[in-house]
Amino acid sequence: MKSSRTNIVQITYSLSIIFLLAIVACQPPCNNEVGVFDELPCEDPKYQKALQKILTEAEENELRFYVRDYLFVQEEEYLVVKVHGPKVCAEAHFLVNNPSGIKGIRNHQAKGYRGAELRGLAYSVSSELENGMVYRGVDRIVD
């Protein structure tokens, strides 16, 4: 009896390790060439300005976006994503005015979606807004 129980524990442990490795393998390594992303919190104005510059100057398909969270803050909603690129690894908070395309993420507050890639993420960047980044849509969510 003990040996079958031990085997079940070993199999469960092995499957857990494989699952975690698969999750980590889905996201490319993240390295920053802009020190502000490692040194400051994402709420800092310098962090936001550097991130907005990268989002504005990035070429199509140069950046990848992964779901981190979905926040309800007072009267506003934010899609929180991890931004991966050749020179950047940062967290972005996109203001959501219309949750078209991400209603599942919104309704479940990102639970079950964390780590999913947002392909074809459409957004706008404006220095006039406090946050500066606004979610516009997404082509598809790859889990």
Side-chain angles (χ1 to χ4, degrees):
M1 214 42 157
K2 283 186 177 183
S3 65
S4 74
R5 179 178 231 164
T6 302
N7 287 340
I8 291 171
V9 169
Q10 288 175 340
I11 291 170
T12 304
Y13 177 75
S14 297
L15 290 174
S16 297
I17 296 296
I18 291 169
F19 179 73
L20 289 173
L21 289 173
I23 289 173
V24 172
C26 291
Q27 294 185 8
C30 218
N31 299 310
N32 278 317
E33 290 185 17
V34 181
V36 70
F37 298 124
D38 291 327
E39 298 163 5
L40 299 172
C42 67
E43 299 84 18
D44 189 282
K46 290 179 184 176
Y47 185 109
Q48 290 298 313
K49 186 175 181 180
L51 182 56
Q52 289 173 13
K53 181 178 181 196
I54 286 171
L55 291 172
T56 302
E57 295 175 356
E59 302 222 4
E60 189 175 345
N61 299 319
E62 184 178 23
L63 301 175
R64 296 177 80 171
F65 303 92
Y66 300 93
V67 176
R68 294 285 307 257
D69 208 348
Y70 196 92
L71 305 174
F72 295 90
V73 181
Q74 297 169 358
E75 300 294 318
E76 296 179 323
E77 299 178 19
Y78 294 91
L79 174 63
V80 181
V81 301
K82 188 74 169 181
V83 180
H84 286 212
K87 299 177 183 181
V88 64
C89 181
E91 184 173 291
H93 294 220
F94 289 96
L95 177 66
V96 178
N97 293 320
N98 178 359
S100 176
I102 56 169
K103 288 182 181 174
I105 294 171
R106 178 187 188 271
N107 293 341
H108 295 97
Q109 295 179 353
K111 291 178 180 87
Y113 290 90
R114 289 188 178 103
E117 184 176 0
L118 299 168
R119 294 228 177 122
L121 179 67
Y123 56 85
S124 60
V125 177
S126 171
S127 58
E128 295 176 17
L129 297 172
E130 183 180 333
N131 175 294
M133 298 166 291
V134 179
Y135 167 83
R136 296 285 178 220
V138 67
D139 290 337
R140 64 184 231 207
I141 301 168
V142 180
D143 207 9

